[in-house]
């Protein structure tokens, strides 16, 4: 290779690298800006938001939006309900997932291939919305808290992730040794497998928690009573259908101020609704990425 | 993926057990010795039966005239009546067209976008910058569909949104984006990219990190440029993962997300935003037309299944990676 081509190639490489960095910086800004804009708007005054003076940082710092949210009983009930559904939902989700995934990971479990097939089949084909709804209705779960917990009690994808983890990280010899020592399958699961599976349990808890907190479809089709609504349904009413209970505007008696507050409230509400899941994210990113990788590559 | 490893193990266990009555007795003993495993799966299996398989069985109301009094099994048979009504209705082609436009557009843009991001991130040598980009692009994954749609509506609103402020700053008229049917699919697809690109890239980054370092070394010795390394090493390296994801995506072509589209709909854009899943919900649950909408839904599921099976078949024939 002559010297001149080496230089030309490295120039090409430099150009390529510069383009790559430019592309990444562009993506970074495009993803980041809307998030910053929401947060900054939520801390601005209603007037600044309406007149479009917010570009990057909060303008006329105010907490009016947040004050309106926390004085609203409807939103607070929704928050409480969502917390309830998330805590108990995740408890059910993780238990069922482990109960399914652990036997599926054991070679001593006769019939696991049939069961795995039945599990994967539900991923590819479903009865559809109407029979699903009718099933829940026939079980008399409509408009109860159970409707938010039972129909979504287990996710196929998560079972596969957990099974893959058990299979690849719990040595088979360990199971055989435990069996020789007279350890039961329950005992082995409880005393050996679960303590060794903390990373995957963390992943399951996180994935389920995010989907429970963000769930709205089940609430939309199964719930009618306002006092059972999770936060997401309340958000839909306020943010998308634009119907705000006038009682929420107790401290805003002027009409103009009310409209401004109504707009500001949307930004604050987005922050308040997303914060719980987003706040834990930096601490658990490692586990999350790990979980997706287990599920996608080894699965 | 799951089924491939399954098939492999099946072969192994089969040969290990061997054939004949010995195996049968052995099997019985094994089941009895591990009864606790069967006790464990009892609840999950009950869940699958109740919430997955009973609805599958209930899908037969698509072939009946469902009446709430008579129940699913008691209602009269109607044959293919509801399917015929659907195929002959003027909505049929509109729904099919809208569904296909949105999903093919999603596939065309949404499928390569995370690959591009992963390939670009893989070129970055500064770990801190790489981690920053990864962390920020992953964050929107946590945003709920409702919040996502309200962000779209807020940003594009002709009164409040910053998009409008930008248009005004350049002296342009305000546009009511959400009210223009032609913009619907673009708004849907690109906001999906915004939300999902970081999450989608993780899989490809994992595949890229699994590529043998010797290959890069050899390419360097041969004087290959960066682009050639991406083309000849990185792309083949992520091809298996990409194939599997492509199959899964194609198998979902008729299932454009109900949740997001339903929330993005308004009376002005329904001419392009009404898709099969939203139609089923409106006709079925809101309009209480159970059998007809179940037929529409079933038609949709069957098309999806056929697509999934044929793409998988094609992938198995023409490449080394497939679902099973």
């Amino acid at each position: 290779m002559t010297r001149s081509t080496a230089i030309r190639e490295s120039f090409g490489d430099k150009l390529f690298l510069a383009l790559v960095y430019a592309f990444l910086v562009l993506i970074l800004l495009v993803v980041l800006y809307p998030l910053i804009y929401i947060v900054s708007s939520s801390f601005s005054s209603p007037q600044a938001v309406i007149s479009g003076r917010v570009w990057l940082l909060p303008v006329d710092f105010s907490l009016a939006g947040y004050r309106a949210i926390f004085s609203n009983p409807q939103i607070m009930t929704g928050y409480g309900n969502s917390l309830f559904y998330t805590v108990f939902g995740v408890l059910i989700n993780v238990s069922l997932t482990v109960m399914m995934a652990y036997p599926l990971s054991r070679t001593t479990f006769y019939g696991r291939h049939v069961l795995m097939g039945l599990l994967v089949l539900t991923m590819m084909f479903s009865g559809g919305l109407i029979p699903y709804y009718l099933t829940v209705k026939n079980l008399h779960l409509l408009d109860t808290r159970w409707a938010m917990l039972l129909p979504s009690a287990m996710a196929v994808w998560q079972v596969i992730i957990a099974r893959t983890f058990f299979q690849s990280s719990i040595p088979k010899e360990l199971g055989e040794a435990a069996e020789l020592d007279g350890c039961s399958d329950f005992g082995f699961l409880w005393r050996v497998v679960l303590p060794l599976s903390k990373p995957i349990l963390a992943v399951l808890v996180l994935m389920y928690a995010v989907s429970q907190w963000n769930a709205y479809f089940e609430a939309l089709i199964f719930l009618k009573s306002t006092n059972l609504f999770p936060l997401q349904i309340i958000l839909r009413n306020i943010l998308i259908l634009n119907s705000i209970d006038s009682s929420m505007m107790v401290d805003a008696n002027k009409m103009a101020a009310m409209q401004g507050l109504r707009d500001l409230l949307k930004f604050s509400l987005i922050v308040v609704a997303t914060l719980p899941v987003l706040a834990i994210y930096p601490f658990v990113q490692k586990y999350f990425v790990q979980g997706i990788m287990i599920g996608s590559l080894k699965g | 993926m799951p089924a491939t490893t399954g098939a492999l193990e099946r072969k192994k266990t089969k040969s290990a057990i061997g054939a004949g009555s010995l195996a049968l007795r052995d099997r019985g003993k094994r089941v009895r010795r591990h009864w606790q495993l069967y006790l464990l799966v009892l609840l999950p299996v009950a869940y699958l039966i109740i919430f997955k398989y009973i609805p599958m069985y209930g899908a037969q109301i698509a072939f009946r005239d469902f009446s709430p009094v008579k129940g699913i099994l008691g209602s009269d048979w109607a044959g293919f009546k509801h399917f015929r009504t659907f195929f002959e209705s003027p909505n049929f082609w509109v729904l099919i067209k809208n569904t296909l436009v949105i999903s093919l557009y999603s596939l065309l843009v949404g499928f390569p976008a995370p690959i591009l991001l992963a390939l670009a991130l893989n070129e970055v040598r500064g770990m801190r910058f790489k981690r920053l980009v990864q962390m920020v692009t992953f964050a929107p994954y946590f945003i709920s569909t409702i919040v996502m749609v309200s962000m779209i509506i807020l940003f594009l609103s002709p009164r409040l949104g910053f998009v409008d402020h930008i248009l005004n700053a350049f002296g342009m008229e305000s546009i009511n984006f959400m009210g223009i049917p032609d913009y619907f699919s673009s708004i849907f697809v690109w906001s999906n990219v915004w939300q999902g690109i970081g999450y989608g890239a993780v899989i490809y980054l994992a595949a890229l990190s699994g590529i043998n370092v010797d290959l890069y070394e050899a390419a360097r010795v041969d004087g290959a440029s960066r682009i050639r390394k991406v083309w000849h090493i990185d792309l083949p390296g992520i091809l298996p993962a990409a194939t599997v994801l492509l199959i899964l995506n194609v198998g979902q072509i008729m299932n454009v997300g109900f949740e997001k589209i339903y929330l993005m709909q308004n009376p002005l854009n329904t001419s392009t935003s009404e898709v099969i899943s939203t139609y089923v919900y409106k006709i079925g649950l809101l309009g209480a037309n159970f059998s007809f909408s179940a037929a529409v839904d079933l038609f949709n599921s069957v098309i999806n299944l056929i697509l999934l099976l044929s793409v998988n078949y094609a992938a198995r024939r023409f490449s080394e990676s497939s679902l099973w």
Side-chain angles (χ1 to χ4, degrees), chain A residues 1 9 13 16-17 20-21 23-25 27-28 30-35 37-38 49-50 52 55 96 99-100 102-103 106-110 112-113 115-116 118-119 121-136 138-139 141 150-154 157 160 163 167 179 184-186 189 207 210 214 216-217 220-221 232-233 235-236 239-240 259 263 266-267 270 273-274 277-278 281-282 285 288-289 292-293 295-299, chain B residues 1-2 5-6 9-10 13 27 30-31 33-41 43-45 47-48 50-56 58-59 61 66 72 116-117 120-121 123-126 129 132-147 149-151 153-155 159-162 165-166 194 197 199 202-203 206-207 222-227 230 241 252 258-259 262-263 280-281 284-285 290 293-294 297-298 301-302 305 308 324:
Chain A
M1 191 205 306
E9 270 168 11
D13 277 357
F16 177 65
L17 209 56
V20 164
Y21 272 89
F23 171 70
L24 287 174
V25 169
I27 289 190
L28 191 66
V30 166
V31 174
L32 205 53
Y33 182 67
L35 299 174
Y37 180 78
I38 292 270
V49 171
I50 305 178
W55 282 104
L96 281 189
M99 287 161 82
M100 182 85 183
Y102 168 65
R106 296 291 304 268
T107 43
T108 45
F109 180 62
Y110 177 74
R112 67 207 179 99
H113 299 297
L115 206 56
M116 193 66 198
L118 286 175
L119 187 76
L121 184 69
T122 63
M123 243 171 139
M124 299 192 292
F125 189 78
S126 81
L129 174 68
I130 305 298
Y132 179 55
Y133 173 82
L134 288 177
T135 307
V136 174
N138 291 339
L139 292 168
L141 296 180
L150 295 183
S152 54
M154 190 175 83
W157 194 239
I160 293 175
R163 182 194 82 129
Q167 255 170 3
E179 205 179 319
S184 70
D185 288 313
F186 283 158
L189 171 65
M207 286 182 157
V210 170
N214 288 342
Y216 98 96
F217 183 66
L220 179 76
I221 59 177
Q232 298 296 331
I233 290 287
L235 289 182
R236 171 172 176 249
L239 292 172
I240 295 170
Q259 181 57 45
D263 292 331
K266 293 182 177 176
F267 291 98
I270 287 176
T274 314
V277 265
L278 214 53
Y281 161 55
Q285 189 202 13
F288 232 97
V289 170
I292 303 169
M293 276 163 26
S296 59
L297 289 181
K298 299 194 195 147
Chain B
M1 301 250 313
T5 48
E9 272 151 22
R10 192 158 29 213
T13 34
R27 187 185 299 164
R30 219 169 65 182
V31 170
R33 193 179 333 137
H34 292 283
W35 60 273
Q36 291 181 335
L37 294 179
Y38 297 86
L39 193 65
L40 272 176
V41 293
L43 267 180
V45 167
Y47 166 78
L48 284 181
I50 295 173
F51 291 105
K52 302 285 177 188
Y53 282 94
I54 288 182
M56 259 186 231
I61 62 165
F66 179 73
I72 293 176
L116 269 182
L117 177 61
L121 276 173
E123 291 299 306
V124 171
R125 290 292 161 261
F129 179 68
L132 176 75
V133 175
Q134 241 193 308
M135 188 147 164
V136 168
T137 51
F138 197 94
Y141 163 77
F142 294 95
I143 294 172
S144 76
T145 317
I146 297 210
V147 167
V149 174
S150 21
M151 281 170 65
I153 294 174
L154 274 176
F155 291 159
R159 193 168 51 87
L160 276 176
F162 69 75
H165 299 331
I166 294 172
W194 183 84
I197 191 169
Y199 183 86
V202 170
I203 290 166
D222 288 349
S225 67
R226 276 176 177 270
I227 297 186
V230 170
Q252 293 291 317
F258 164 85
E259 301 203 353
Y262 181 66
L263 292 171
V280 167
Y281 173 72
L285 286 190
F290 285 160
S293 64
D297 216 359
L298 190 62
S301 302
V302 170
L305 192 61
L308 181 69
W324 60 84

